[in-house]
Amino acid sequence: MRLLRCSDTGEFSLTEDFVDDEPIPPYAILSHTWGPDTEVAFDELTNGSGKDKPGYEKIRFCGEQAG
């Protein structure tokens, strides 16, 4: 399992994969509707290229709600 992490500066990254008996930090599960061609793909999130897509604002909003 990997989690999306939001830094103090508002940047997003993924945690390393949790394995075996490794402790999992507190987390929130948030859901929303995905729109066509506006959402941030996994590769775009990991390399930072999806920040100009409308879906990035959804990710930012969900991060604020979880914080």
Side-chain angles (χ1 to χ4, degrees), residues 4-67:
L4 187 62
R5 176 186 349 214
C6 184
S7 73
D8 292 338
T9 62
E11 296 294 316
F12 292 99
S13 63
L14 292 171
T15 64
E16 293 296 319
D17 201 6
F18 292 100
V19 294
D20 299 323
D21 293 331
E22 197 173 345
I24 299 172
Y27 64 94
I29 298 174
L30 303 169
S31 178
H32 66 89
T33 304
W34 295 92
D37 301 321
T38 62
E39 303 304 332
V40 181
F42 178 82
D43 289 341
E44 294 170 325
L45 180 66
T46 57
N47 68 25
S49 65
K51 294 179 182 180
D52 59 335
K53 288 188 163 186
Y56 195 82
E57 287 305 313
K58 288 184 189 177
I59 295 171
R60 185 180 312 282
F61 174 77
C62 287
E64 290 171 2
Q65 298 302 303

